[in-house]
Structure formats: structure tokens, C-alpha cells
Amino acid sequence: MKNISFGIENLSTSKRIGNLWDKAFSRENLYDAYLDARKGKQKKIKVFEFEKCLSSNLDELYVQLHNGSYEIGEYNSFFVYEPKKREIHAPQFRDLIVQHAIYRVIYNIFNPTFIDTSFACRKGGGTHKASEYTQKQMRKYSGDLYYAKLDIRKFFYSIDRDILKSLFEKKIKDKRFVEIMIRFANMGSDKGIPIGNLLSQIYSIIYMNELDQFIKRELKIKSYVRYVDDFMAIGLTLEEAKEFESRCEKFVQDKLNLELSHWTIEKIRKGINFVGYRTWRSIKFVRKHSIYKFKKAIMKKEVLSLISSVGHAVGTATLKYYKKLLDDLDMIKLLPKGTKQCLNI
């Protein structure tokens, strides 16, 4: 995402930012937001229909946003079952453009406030980075020290929107802009934000950043990593690990109105299951469920799924196993050049 011309890259220097409405919803930023929204979706019918009258559709969006008549359309809701059942709320394309316009403004306001080891939905982040950091921290400590890994019960469905709004207001004083931000968090229930929204991704980081700051500033945890609602401290004594779990549980209940779902306290030498990888200090594998999906994709010759699986396995010992399976079935020839290069161990 390029920086837009009115200097959003510098907005994070102020404590609270105002006058964001006109900046986010300028004609220039709406057009750039449209370009962001269409990436990977050029062949979709809704995108094609919007682009048939692109100029007039963007102009209509601009007018509606500035005269107060803009309304968010109904989501296309459906369920996915990987890795578990979740309801997805996909916005209409014109609403996705508005979300991108907001995102282009708020990312550079909030991102500097996040800790470096929060890896989800950030430039330069991702599961590979989170996994690499985890293994690096494991190697710093004796295998007989402990890690404590926790996650939040029904995280996206449990976010308190009043708390979320107050966190927006810590950085943004433009009330009208905060209101449209929180409108994209609504999902027809008392709590929660919609899974499938672009903005829900950064909203989740803003929300959990409160926990990150508590862990780093109050608990003084040196080796800490978070990916969405999964978070972990590494290199603790058993007593420290138990205290970490206890204090985090109290914090998320008292300050964020959330509950812990699962937590694990175990010795580092037994390995850590995190962000889709089974990790030890000397070696790393993808999870067994990922291997099952890979085998299934081979049987069905689902090339896109194979490409994704190979990409996920880069940097793990599982990659050699994947290569052998593909070799045995003479399927490497179906893969694109970049994926073949990944398999060239």
C-alpha cells in the first residue's frame, strides 16, 4: 500500500488525530482504495459490474459519504469449516472500497503503537515470521524452562464494541470518522465484530494491543509473541508461567471483557504447537492436519491448494516429505516455477 499524498505517514506523530473524514474519503484516496480492493478479485462479477461504470460509481460513493447518505449494504454471510466452523461476513464491493479507504488512513496511525512481536495482519508479519521468532526464542533458553500459551474464547465474536470505540478515540478525535469505523464493527449482536471484514483485522490488533502493552510493560516478559488471539511467553520458570497465566486471565476479563479459552504450560523441550507449526529448538514441522490437507489436494489434483501447502511448509522438515509425495506421483510438473523453486531443497 503506497502512502497517499496528504502525508498520512506522518499522522502517527500526533497524540490524537482530527480531520480524517475528508482525507480518507477524498476522490484520490477512494480511487486508490478501489485499486486495493480489486486486487485478486478482477474476475469476480461484482467487481466487473462496478468497473463498467467506474467513474460514476466512485463519484456516487464520494457524494454519499460527504452528504451523509452512505449506508453499508448487507453482508454476504456463509460458513467455512477450516480449521473450525466460522461464519464469514463478506462485504459488498463498494463497501470494501470504503473499508480500504479507512484502512489506508488508520494503519499508519495505529501501527507504530503495536509491539514488534504482534505478527498478524501487518506488513512484514505473517505466520512464517511468528514461527521464526518463536523458534529463535526457544533456542535462547534451557529446554527445561517453560512456555505458557493462551488464547481467547470466541475472540472475534466476543469483542466489546464500546471498549473498541474507546480505543479508537484514544488516537482519533474526529467523531464522525470514529462513528463510521465502529459502524463497520457492527454485526447485529450485542458483542463481536464480523469475521471477513478487512477492518476487523486491524480492529483485532488494536483491541489486543492493550494486552500486549500490559505484558511487556507490567509483566516485563522478554520473549513474548502474539498472532491474533493466540499469545505466548517463552523461557519462564514453572512459577512464572503460572503467574503469567493468572495475571493475563484477570487482565482480559477486567480490561477487555474477554475470557481465556485454552492455555498450555509445558517445558520448551517438548515442543510448541503455534501458528500452524510443531516447533522444537532444532527442527520444525507443519501440523498433522496440514499434511492431511496436502494429501487430499494431491488426490484431487487441486493445484492452488498444493501451492499454498508448499508455501506454508517452507522452512520446515515437512517440505522434503511433500517433495517425495509429489515426485512419487509425478505431480511436480503441474506446479508453477516459484513453487518448484521452493521444493528445490
Side-chain angles (χ1 to χ4, degrees):
M1 181 183 73
K2 64 180 182 179
N3 288 320
I4 54 184
S5 60
F6 43 80
I8 279 179
E9 67 274 15
N10 296 319
L11 289 178
S12 62
T13 58
S14 301
K15 288 186 177 180
R16 293 183 75 225
I17 313 299
N19 303 317
L20 292 182
W21 187 277
D22 290 337
K23 295 174 181 178
F25 304 130
S26 68
R27 293 185 188 277
E28 179 187 14
N29 197 45
L30 283 172
Y31 179 74
D32 287 337
Y34 147 73
L35 294 178
D36 291 339
R38 76 189 291 269
K39 288 177 183 176
K41 301 180 177 67
Q42 292 93 326
K43 295 182 180 180
K44 292 195 173 182
I45 294 175
K46 295 296 183 182
V47 178
F48 175 74
E49 290 176 347
F50 189 91
E51 291 179 332
K52 283 195 298 185
C53 302
L54 178 60
S55 180
S56 61
N57 282 331
L58 285 176
D59 187 64
E60 181 183 41
L61 202 52
Y62 174 86
V63 170
Q64 289 179 353
L65 284 161
H66 287 275
N67 69 15
S69 64
Y70 170 75
E71 296 289 342
I72 299 171
E74 290 187 13
Y75 289 106
N76 175 27
S77 298
F78 56 93
F79 290 95
V80 297
Y81 297 88
E82 295 289 348
K84 56 187 176 183
K85 183 180 178 181
R86 294 177 299 163
E87 185 174 11
I88 304 298
H89 296 80
Q92 296 182 18
F93 184 67
R94 69 193 304 272
D95 297 326
L96 182 59
I97 293 172
V98 177
Q99 288 197 42
H100 272 281
I102 295 171
Y103 185 89
R104 287 171 56 79
V105 170
I106 66 173
Y107 184 88
N108 285 335
I109 293 174
F110 286 97
N111 188 59
T113 70
F114 302 149
I115 65 170
D116 292 340
T117 57
S118 167
F119 288 101
C121 308
R122 298 177 70 188
K123 298 174 191 176
T127 55
H128 280 289
K129 291 289 186 180
S131 178
E132 288 169 10
Y133 175 82
T134 298
Q135 190 172 51
K136 182 179 179 181
Q137 298 310 302
M138 292 171 73
R139 289 168 176 167
K140 286 183 177 181
Y141 303 102
S142 162
D144 287 321
L145 285 177
Y146 290 78
Y147 70 89
K149 184 166 72 78
L150 299 76
D151 65 33
I152 303 297
R153 183 184 305 278
K154 296 183 178 179
F155 173 55
F156 282 92
Y157 301 115
S158 301
I159 287 177
D160 187 314
R161 291 193 294 270
D162 289 335
I163 295 175
L164 182 64
K165 184 178 180 180
S166 73
L167 296 177
F168 295 161
E169 291 170 339
K170 282 185 178 181
K171 297 294 291 181
I172 298 172
K173 61 182 178 182
D174 186 329
K175 292 183 179 179
R176 184 166 57 150
F177 194 72
V178 168
E179 286 303 322
I180 196 168
M181 287 176 67
I182 207 68
R183 279 168 62 188
F184 277 108
N186 290 331
M187 56 178 294
S189 56
D190 292 339
K191 297 175 68 174
I193 61 176
I195 300 173
N197 255 1
L198 167 73
L199 289 175
S200 292
Q201 298 174 12
I202 192 167
Y203 289 178
S204 70
I205 313 174
I206 293 169
Y207 203 83
M208 290 293 282
N209 186 50
E210 299 298 295
L211 174 66
D212 295 341
Q213 299 298 332
F214 168 73
I215 288 170
K216 296 300 289 185
R217 295 183 182 188
E218 298 293 327
L219 302 187
K220 308 292 185 183
I221 299 296
K222 292 181 179 180
S223 296
Y224 169 73
V225 57
R226 181 172 65 80
Y227 197 89
V228 192
D229 64 319
D230 292 328
F231 56 102
M232 176 168 55
I234 303 168
L236 308 176
T237 65
L238 180 58
E239 292 73 21
E240 289 170 340
K242 289 178 178 179
E243 182 182 3
F244 176 81
E245 185 278 326
S246 176
R247 295 193 65 180
C248 287
E249 182 173 34
K250 179 172 173 53
F251 183 89
V252 298
Q253 288 176 347
D254 294 349
K255 302 297 184 181
L256 299 178
N257 197 18
L258 299 172
E259 295 181 11
L260 292 184
S261 177
H262 303 96
W263 55 270
T264 301
I265 294 175
E266 192 56 85
K267 288 186 176 181
I268 292 171
R269 62 179 170 80
K270 293 193 175 182
I272 298 176
N273 193 338
F274 185 60
V275 293
Y277 299 96
R278 295 171 292 150
T279 305
W280 287 262
R281 288 184 297 170
S282 60
I283 198 167
K284 178 166 56 175
F285 301 92
V286 303
R287 294 174 64 181
K288 292 178 181 179
H289 182 68
S290 298
I291 296 174
Y292 168 75
K293 285 174 62 179
F294 180 78
K295 290 178 177 178
K296 219 171 145 184
I298 285 180
M299 298 302 295
K300 294 183 178 181
K301 295 186 177 181
E302 295 174 344
V303 174
L304 290 178
S305 182
L306 292 174
I307 293 170
S308 175
S309 294
V310 169
H312 179 62
V314 169
T316 74
T318 308
L319 199 61
K320 289 183 180 180
Y321 177 62
Y322 282 180
K323 185 176 186 296
K324 183 179 184 305
L325 289 178
L326 291 165
D327 273 335
D328 290 346
L329 295 170
D330 194 29
M331 290 188 64
I332 290 183
K333 62 186 179 184
L334 300 178
L335 303 176
K337 182 179 178 181
T339 305
K340 291 176 183 176
Q341 290 173 342
C342 289
L343 290 164
N344 187 23
I345 304 167

